[in-house]
Amino acid sequence: HVEGDLELDQTLYTEEQITTRLQELARQIEADYEGKDLLLVGVLKGAVMVMADLARSLERHVEMDWMAVSSYGSGTQSSGVVRILKDLDTDLNGRHVLIVEDIIDTGLTLSWLITNLRSRGPASVEIATLLRKPDALQMDVEVRYVGFDIPNAFVVGYGLDFNERYRNLRCIGTLSPHVYL
Ligand code: PRP
Ligand code: MN
Ligand code: MG
């Protein structure tokens, strides 16, 4: 693999399109949480870029905390059984929580996570995700804020990885099939 050869098949969203959409979501979030405290919970590692840019788009105070989870499963198939690798530092009791994700694919991770966080006595738990794949969804997850609904293709960049690579791309694109086949 040649360093600098990014092997993107197609750009789905440019840096500017992502910024514009996050600004729109930020205005909705500001309106919905007016007069309430807000805790953003980012899911490591994919959500790092969305968290950084969404949080900075918000013209209000927020707190940020992080979770790392891993889903048990055979091969690439997610099982929905999730293990916490790093838990929150924050007590959720009485808090308004907004989970921040880069992508909802099958929905198994978030469906487990939302149940887990709701059991901790928060005032509310909602989800914001930059991307969602409606065709891949296996669980009915109610998502309050969605950046873009995308086709069921392998996408990377802006936090999204393939074997830990491509997370640092500023845009989101599809990977050339020769990379993963
Ligand atoms: C990816 C993505 C979401 C999750 C979505 O994370 O960032 O967190 O999968 O998949 P699902 O809807 O099918 O559950 P991944 O487990 O690859 O970890 P990462 O964020 O560290 O890349
Ligand atoms: Mn993730
Ligand atoms: Mg990943």
Side-chain angles (χ1 to χ4, degrees):
H1 183 269
V2 180
E3 218 55 51
D5 173 7
L6 297 174
E7 295 173 308
L8 283 192
D9 199 33
Q10 200 191 336
T11 300
L12 277 185
Y13 299 104
T14 62
E15 183 177 11
E16 190 188 2
Q17 287 173 311
I18 295 167
T19 303
T20 300
R21 187 66 187 122
L22 288 180
Q23 291 283 351
E24 291 169 357
L25 294 183
R27 301 294 84 79
Q28 285 180 41
I29 292 166
E30 285 162 4
D32 293 350
Y33 289 91
E34 201 177 343
K36 297 171 178 168
D37 71 78
L38 181 56
L39 173 67
L40 302 179
V41 169
V43 186
L44 294 169
K45 303 174 216 165
V48 165
M49 308 299 178
V50 186
M51 179 75 139
D53 287 339
L54 180 64
R56 288 181 295 177
S57 299
L58 289 167
E59 293 174 358
R60 54 156 294 157
H61 292 290
V62 288
E63 289 178 34
M64 284 176 262
D65 202 349
W66 301 91
M67 278 186 90
V69 298
S70 148
S71 43
Y72 284 115
S74 51
T76 56
Q77 196 59 41
S78 172
S79 65
V81 181
V82 175
R83 179 169 53 122
I84 296 176
L85 301 178
K86 185 235 171 276
D87 206 342
L88 299 171
D89 299 326
T90 314
D91 181 355
L92 296 191
N93 194 33
R95 302 298 306 267
H96 290 283
V97 176
L98 182 58
I99 303 172
V100 176
E101 262 289 29
D102 51 335
I103 188 167
I104 301 180
D105 198 330
T106 63
L108 291 167
T109 306
L110 265 184
S111 139
W112 180 90
L113 193 58
I114 203 158
T115 304
N116 181 284
L117 297 190
R118 279 192 174 137
S119 73
R120 306 185 191 192
S124 67
V125 182
E126 300 290 346
I127 297 166
T129 185
L130 181 62
L131 304 176
R132 179 173 62 181
K133 287 184 180 174
D135 298 340
L137 268 181
Q138 292 178 22
M139 301 292 293
D140 192 24
V141 186
E142 208 180 295
V143 186
R144 185 83 166 265
Y145 309 97
V146 180
F148 304 104
D149 277 320
I150 61 166
N152 196 0
F154 204 98
V155 293
V156 295
Y158 198 72
L160 293 141
D161 72 302
F162 172 65
N163 287 346
E164 300 300 329
R165 302 186 73 114
Y166 307 100
R167 291 195 201 274
N168 59 320
L169 298 185
R170 289 179 176 269
C171 65
I172 293 169
T174 52
L175 209 52
S176 304
H178 76 86
V179 177
Y180 57 86
L181 287 181

